[in-house]
Amino acid sequence: MKIRFVLLFLLLLSTNAYALSWSDASANPASGSQYSPGKNYNFQISWNGDGETVTGVLFELTDVSAGTKSNNTVYNVMNLYYVNFTGLEPSDYSFRWFAEDSSSNTNITDAISYSVVKNSSAAITLLLDERQGNKSYAKNDIATFSASLNIPGKTIYLDSDYPGIDVNNTTSIIYAQKNLTYEGTFILNASWPGDDFYESHWKAFYFDNKPPFHGQVNSYPWDYTTYSPNLTINFNTTWSDVNLTEVRFESNHTGKKKNYTTKTEPKVQNMSGVFWVDMENIFPAEFAYRWYAKDDANNWAATEARTYNLFKALALNVNPLSSEVYDGTTSVINCFSITDEIDISDFEFSRNGTKISNSSMMDRIDATKLDIGYYEYICETEGNKNYSNQTIVANLTVLSKYTKPKPEAKKELKISDVSSVYVLSGESTQGTFNLSSTLEDTVTDLSVIVENLDEEWYEIGSLPSAILEGGYTIVEIDFDIPYYVEAQYIGVKIKATGQTDNGSVLATGTMPLSINEEQSAPNQPPEYFDFSTTPAKKGETAMFSFMLDDDSGLSGYIFSTNETGSWVNDSWVFLDGKEGSIDIMKDVASNPGTVVAWKVYANDTNNAWSSSMENFMQIRQEEEFGYIIPLVIVIVAIVVAVVMLFLNKKEAAPSKKVVYVYTKDS
């Protein structure tokens, strides 16, 4: 039989006539199937003798990777020929068919590629206290970790960046218990490197033993915002934990504390660890808020309570605020509301003390012919829950129609360009006005008097010794409002006096002063971000890095480690500014493998202290046999030099005299 097929093969190589034809060459399972022990493989083809009888069929399977060939018994049913194999190993193969008919016609198929791939069904199962997935623990909890492979008798590995977890087992299953005394966030890895028949596989989960950690707490618009209709205030922060289960936002803007979650309206929303809530229709008030978070170990954490100030808005305006018209002209002055929350029933408009009743829905209008003179218009409201009490004063001068107005004709000491002042209780600000003179005489002995304001609430800036004709000066008034002053509006009466050769002169004016209540938000201590370490070996220098941030300004910090076995504080380091990136370099004295804890105490300019979380660094192992590579290089260099010297001598052997002469000279 072997002779017959050898002859058939040689005949195929030498014959070009292909009376035989084939079709439907296939394999089951198809190429690319995964390896499985004892798996069956079937290859088949159809041969047609074109009137002749097919007398012989041969199948050849080539392991391309190994370079080996194999045959197996060919069976047939009618003109369908097939061959079976069992337990093909993972590799790249090719196969082809040979055939001969009763007239010695032969044919051969092209080589057809086929592959069996490593099985990927080997799966690692990783459990943290009988649970798959990230898990939180409380500090000092005893955690049970287990890993198993669904193929028995294999060596699998379990390791972590938590100190002391690095084990393996040859029975495809590992159990490990650890008392979680070091605080932090860690990764747990289970792995199997694979073998000739199965692909490698790994699985990793995170675990921690600390409460959730929050980042910067923000609001938009920022604190101290003025109310406006349909205002939406966004409160947000970041929370990080391996397995957060709940985040809440708490606020007392309604007058009592209320919690908002992912199931309330408005609801807490989340994207990639950023949590926010959009609050609408909040009335002007000062209120407190904070965030809470919980993980699956029932560890709760909360941000510091913060305050938010939403002030009442101004509702009224007057047009024009001041003007001059001629006798006989109809003047039009209107007081109007800029919001539909304050309509004409909520404000009054008067001219020289006489109320004006002409109105539309949002305006009170004075349109009339006035006699020559000076008129004062007052537009005022007591406000409501969203809008503050407000008073606006406007002036109108009616001139004689027979006299052209000549600004220079009136000789006076004048107050103009008076600023409107807005200040919070407990804070300071500044108001200004322009004091000018059109008098022909020089004005001396200048003084400014404020009549209807507590003298402890303000201080008038310095004045020049005199003002010449056409000259002016800008007068500054520094306001310092005590924290206990209630919100109110004051039209501050200002008088400026001076002396000329013809006697004293006087100028008057009104400075609008709006005071709003404020309670200072509690000072926030420094916050920490971006902890990192660059580990070192014993005797080397390690780097400890972190960032500091403070709302009022940093004062300094103290760095502390427990490398000696107890906590030791470094010297106080001064800082300035509100944020900073800190890098601390320290020599390492502990033995390899030692875990060193470190933390930071920081202080701000308001003497608020905070302490960072504990961070950890493991002392690197000494690099054993570090001398081998340089030694190998030296040895190789010596060997090469010796070989080259030997070759040179060998080539120079016929000229012994030359060699002798050089030796003698040397």
Side-chain angles (χ1 to χ4, degrees):
M1 186 66 181
K2 291 184 179 179
I3 295 175
R4 173 182 174 84
F5 278 112
V6 170
L7 293 174
L8 174 61
F9 178 70
L10 294 174
L11 183 62
L12 288 172
L13 296 177
S14 62
T15 303
N16 293 323
Y18 292 101
L20 282 168
S21 63
W22 60 272
S23 62
D24 302 328
S26 63
N28 184 30
S31 178
S33 67
Q34 291 190 346
Y35 165 80
S36 180
K39 189 173 184 176
N40 294 319
Y41 300 85
N42 173 268
F43 302 86
Q44 59 184 22
I45 191 173
S46 293
W47 284 104
N48 189 339
D50 195 19
E52 299 290 336
T53 302
V54 177
T55 57
V57 174
L58 175 67
F59 177 83
E60 180 184 77
L61 180 66
T62 301
D63 186 332
V64 177
S65 302
T68 59
K69 297 182 179 182
S70 58
N71 308 104
N72 225 348
T73 304
V74 176
Y75 302 92
N76 76 295
V77 178
M78 303 296 288
N79 64 337
L80 176 66
Y81 293 82
Y82 62 93
V83 63
N84 297 319
F85 286 84
T86 299
L88 292 181
E89 295 185 356
S91 187
D92 292 322
Y93 297 89
S94 69
F95 66 88
R96 56 181 177 172
W97 293 87
F98 306 85
E100 180 184 24
D101 65 15
S102 55
S103 297
S104 297
N105 295 313
T106 60
N107 200 354
I108 181 173
T109 67
D110 295 330
I112 301 172
S113 297
Y114 188 80
S115 64
V116 177
V117 299
K118 285 188 177 182
N119 198 324
S120 62
S121 64
I124 286 278
T125 299
L126 178 60
L127 299 177
L128 289 76
D129 282 78
E130 300 184 356
R131 167 183 169 176
Q132 292 195 62
N134 300 332
K135 182 169 177 58
S136 293
Y137 295 90
K139 190 174 182 181
N140 296 318
D141 274 357
I142 297 178
T144 300
F145 305 130
S146 65
S148 61
L149 183 71
N150 64 350
I151 304 174
K154 302 296 182 181
T155 299
I156 60 174
Y157 300 85
L158 186 68
D159 63 86
S160 173
D161 55 356
Y162 188 93
I165 301 179
D166 189 2
V167 294
N168 63 78
N169 202 332
T170 60
T171 62
S172 296
I173 188 166
I174 295 175
Y175 291 97
Q177 280 192 332
K178 202 68 179 177
N179 184 358
L180 304 179
T181 57
Y182 295 115
E183 188 177 85
T185 300
F186 309 94
I187 188 170
L188 183 68
N189 301 288
S191 61
W192 178 58
D195 59 15
D196 292 340
F197 305 111
Y198 289 89
E199 294 180 347
S200 62
H201 195 255
W202 64 273
K203 187 164 289 186
F205 295 123
Y206 288 91
F207 67 94
D208 67 12
N209 61 342
K210 61 178 184 178
F213 180 76
H214 70 85
Q216 187 74 35
V217 178
N218 301 307
S219 62
Y220 183 81
W222 306 110
D223 191 8
Y224 304 113
T225 298
T226 300
Y227 167 84
S228 63
N230 304 315
L231 175 68
T232 297
I233 304 176
N234 174 275
F235 298 92
N236 66 82
T237 189
T238 58
W239 284 105
S240 58
D241 194 88
V242 300
N243 197 9
L244 279 174
T245 57
E246 185 176 353
V247 173
R248 298 180 185 176
F249 176 77
E250 180 186 83
S251 171
N252 66 351
H253 66 275
T254 61
K256 60 181 180 180
K257 289 183 180 180
K258 184 176 180 181
N259 285 294
Y260 299 87
T261 68
T262 56
K263 298 179 181 179
T264 61
E265 284 298 335
K267 62 184 176 182
V268 173
Q269 302 181 69
N270 169 36
M271 180 178 291
S272 302
V274 178
F275 294 82
W276 74 91
V277 61
D278 293 323
M279 309 296 291
E280 299 177 344
N281 302 320
I282 298 180
F283 298 139
E286 178 185 83
F287 58 90
Y289 69 92
R290 70 192 309 174
W291 289 88
Y292 295 89
K294 182 182 73 169
D295 61 22
D296 62 334
N298 208 33
N299 295 317
W300 279 96
T303 66
E304 295 288 339
R306 297 199 172 201
T307 58
Y308 192 92
N309 291 270
L310 183 61
F311 296 123
K312 290 186 176 184
L314 299 178
L316 301 181
N317 206 347
V318 173
N319 185 39
L321 277 173
S322 62
S323 64
E324 292 180 345
V325 298
Y326 294 109
D327 183 19
T329 303
T330 299
S331 63
V332 179
I333 307 290
N334 68 321
C335 168
F336 59 94
S337 173
I338 60 176
T339 172
D340 56 7
E341 291 191 41
I342 300 290
D343 59 26
I344 58 169
S345 64
D346 299 317
F347 64 91
E348 293 183 345
F349 190 35
S350 63
R351 174 183 9 99
N352 289 353
T354 301
K355 291 184 179 179
I356 297 169
S357 59
N358 295 333
S359 66
S360 63
M361 181 63 68
M362 305 294 289
D363 295 53
R364 291 192 181 275
I365 306 169
D366 181 42
T368 186
K369 290 183 179 181
L370 300 173
D371 294 333
I372 297 172
Y374 176 80
Y375 298 87
E376 182 179 70
Y377 291 84
I378 298 178
C379 176
E380 56 188 340
T381 180
E382 294 182 357
N384 62 13
K385 63 184 179 183
N386 295 328
Y387 291 87
S388 65
N389 59 321
Q390 183 182 0
T391 300
I392 302 176
V393 178
N395 301 312
L396 175 65
T397 301
V398 181
L399 305 174
S400 170
K401 64 181 178 180
Y402 301 108
T403 305
K404 272 192 170 184
K406 295 182 180 180
E408 68 277 10
K410 189 174 183 179
K411 305 297 182 179
E412 62 179 345
L413 184 65
K414 183 179 180 181
I415 291 176
S416 62
D417 299 330
V418 181
S419 63
S420 296
V421 180
Y422 174 87
V423 66
L424 300 173
S425 299
E427 291 194 354
S428 302
T429 191
Q430 186 179 83
T432 62
F433 64 88
N434 195 351
L435 181 61
S436 60
S437 173
T438 56
L439 298 167
E440 295 178 355
D441 297 334
T442 300
V443 181
T444 60
D445 297 331
L446 293 168
S447 66
V448 173
I449 302 170
V450 174
E451 290 192 334
N452 58 335
L453 192 66
D454 192 316
E455 62 182 11
E456 294 183 357
W457 296 6
Y458 69 91
E459 181 177 347
I460 299 172
S462 60
L463 297 172
S465 59
I467 299 179
L468 303 178
E469 180 184 5
Y472 73 93
T473 186
I474 296 176
V475 180
E476 298 174 347
I477 301 179
D478 294 319
F479 295 95
D480 187 7
I481 308 302
Y483 70 91
Y484 54 79
V485 176
E486 297 181 352
Q488 58 185 292
Y489 170 85
I490 303 174
V492 178
K493 300 297 183 182
I494 301 172
K495 288 184 178 181
T497 64
Q499 294 293 325
T500 69
D501 291 342
N502 295 318
S504 62
V505 289
L506 172 68
T508 61
T510 301
M511 179 174 288
L513 174 62
S514 295
I515 301 174
N516 284 276
E517 294 182 20
E518 177 196 15
Q519 294 180 355
S520 299
N523 178 55
Q524 304 297 318
E527 294 185 327
Y528 306 82
F529 304 93
D530 299 338
F531 293 97
S532 65
T533 57
T534 302
K537 298 182 297 183
K538 181 178 181 179
E540 293 184 346
T541 300
M543 183 167 70
F544 306 82
S545 302
F546 58 93
M547 290 195 66
L548 276 174
D549 179 86
D550 189 78
D551 55 356
S552 61
L554 296 167
S555 176
Y557 70 88
I558 297 172
F559 180 78
S560 181
T561 69
N562 70 346
E563 185 179 4
T564 61
S566 59
W567 287 99
V568 177
N569 295 336
D570 284 3
S571 300
W572 168 262
V573 179
F574 289 97
L575 294 175
D576 57 14
K578 292 189 175 183
E579 61 182 20
S581 178
I582 313 297
D583 295 320
I584 299 171
M585 312 297 292
K586 290 188 69 68
D587 293 336
V588 173
S590 299
N591 293 323
T594 303
V595 176
V596 177
W598 62 279
K599 58 185 175 181
V600 181
Y601 304 95
N603 183 255
D604 65 14
T605 54
N606 289 325
N607 200 33
W609 284 91
S610 67
S611 172
S612 74
M613 66 180 184
E614 291 183 14
N615 298 273
F616 303 92
M617 180 195 71
Q618 189 170 24
I619 308 302
R620 288 169 47 197
Q621 298 289 336
E622 296 288 345
E623 296 178 358
E624 298 181 359
F625 310 116
Y627 60 84
I628 290 180
I629 291 178
L631 180 60
V632 169
I633 293 175
V634 172
I635 294 173
V636 170
I638 294 173
V639 171
V640 171
V642 171
V643 171
M644 293 301 295
L645 180 62
F646 173 78
L647 292 176
N648 289 337
K649 286 185 177 182
K650 185 175 182 181
E651 291 177 359
S655 183
K656 295 182 178 179
K657 183 177 181 180
V658 174
V659 173
Y660 175 79
V661 170
Y662 274 95
T663 304
K664 184 178 180 180
D665 291 343
S666 62

